[in-house]
C-alpha cells in the first residue's frame, strides 16, 4: 500500500481510544488484539491483512500471528467501527484505524493514496439525501475512494 497523509497522532492514545470503543461494543481485549491495534496505530498507511500479520510477527517476542485470526479480527474491528476496510483501485485492500472522517483520493498515475477532508464534498449533501430517499442507498464518505491525479502527476 502507498502511504498517504497520516491518519494517526499518538500511537498509545489511539490504541487506548480503540480499546475503549471495543469495550463499549462488547468485544474482548486480548494481547493479540492490542498488538493488532498497535500495528495499525503505528502506521500512516493502509495495511493489508498480510502486512498486519507480518508486522505483528516481527514485533512479538514469542509465537506468530495467525493469518486467519488476523483476518477475522480485522473484519470484527471493521464491523465495530474501529478500523476502516478500504478497497482501492486495482483490487488492493487496506485497513487503518478509524480516526477523523476523511475521504481517500487514489492517483491513477503514481498510485499514491491521499487523505482528503470530507468538507470538500459538503455541497453534495442534497444529492446524497435524494439518493437515499429514492433508492435507499447511503454513501459512506469515510469509506469512499475518489480516483484522480495528484499534483505531481498533473505536473504542478
Amino acid at each position: 500500500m502507498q502511504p498517504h497523509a497520516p491518519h494517526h497522532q499518538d500511537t498509545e492514545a489511539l490504541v487506548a481510544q480503540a480499546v475503549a470503543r471495543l469495550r463499549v461494543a462488547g468485544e474482548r481485549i486480548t494481547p493479540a488484539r492490542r498488538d493488532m491495534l498497535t500495528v495499525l496505530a503505528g502506521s500512516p498507511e493502509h495495511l493489508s491483512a498480510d502486512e498486519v500479520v507480518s508486522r505483528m510477527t516481527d514485533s512479538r517476542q514469542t509465537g506468530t500471528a495467525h493469518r486467519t485470526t488476523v483476518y477475522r479480527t480485522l473484519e470484527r474491528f471493521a464491523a465495530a467501527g474501529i478500523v476502516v476496510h478500504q478497497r482501492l483501485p486495482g483490487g488492493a485492500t487496506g485497513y487503518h484505524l478509524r480516526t477523523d472522517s476523511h475521504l481517500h483520493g487514489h492517483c491513477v498515475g503514481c498510485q499514491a493514496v491521499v487523505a482528503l477532508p470530507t468538507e470538500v464534498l459538503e455541497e453534495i449533501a442534497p444529492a446524497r439525501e435524494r439518493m437515499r430517499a429514492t433508492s435507499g442507498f447511503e454513501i459512506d464518505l469515510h469509506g469512499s475512494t475518489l480516483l484522480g491525479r495528484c499534483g505531481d502527476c498533473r505536473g504542478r
Side-chain angles (χ1 to χ4, degrees), residues 40-109:
L40 291 167
S43 177
E45 55 195 350
H46 295 95
L47 298 176
S48 70
D50 286 338
E51 289 170 320
V52 172
V53 169
S54 176
R55 291 182 188 198
M56 285 178 66
T57 300
D58 291 347
S59 69
R60 296 180 91 170
Q61 300 297 331
T62 59
T64 59
H66 296 282
R67 178 173 279 110
T68 303
T69 301
V70 170
Y71 276 92
R72 284 186 193 143
T73 303
L74 285 169
E75 290 305 316
R76 289 193 70 136
F77 285 176
I82 305 305
V83 301
V84 174
H85 176 198
Q86 190 70 38
R87 292 193 191 278
L88 300 173
T93 301
Y95 297 86
H96 69 81
L97 280 182
R98 182 180 292 270
T99 54
D100 59 348
S101 183
H102 63 272
L103 298 160
H104 296 91
H106 182 99
C107 179
V108 296

Side-chain angles (χ1 to χ4, degrees), residues 4-8 46 84 86 96-105 113-119 121 140-145:
H4 68 293
H7 293 104
H8 311 293
H46 295 95
V84 174
Q86 190 70 38
H96 69 81
L97 280 182
R98 182 180 292 270
T99 54
D100 59 348
S101 183
H102 63 272
L103 298 160
H104 296 91
V113 178
V114 297
L116 305 170
T118 56
E119 302 83 56
L121 294 181
D140 174 11
L141 289 179
H142 191 89
S144 298
T145 300

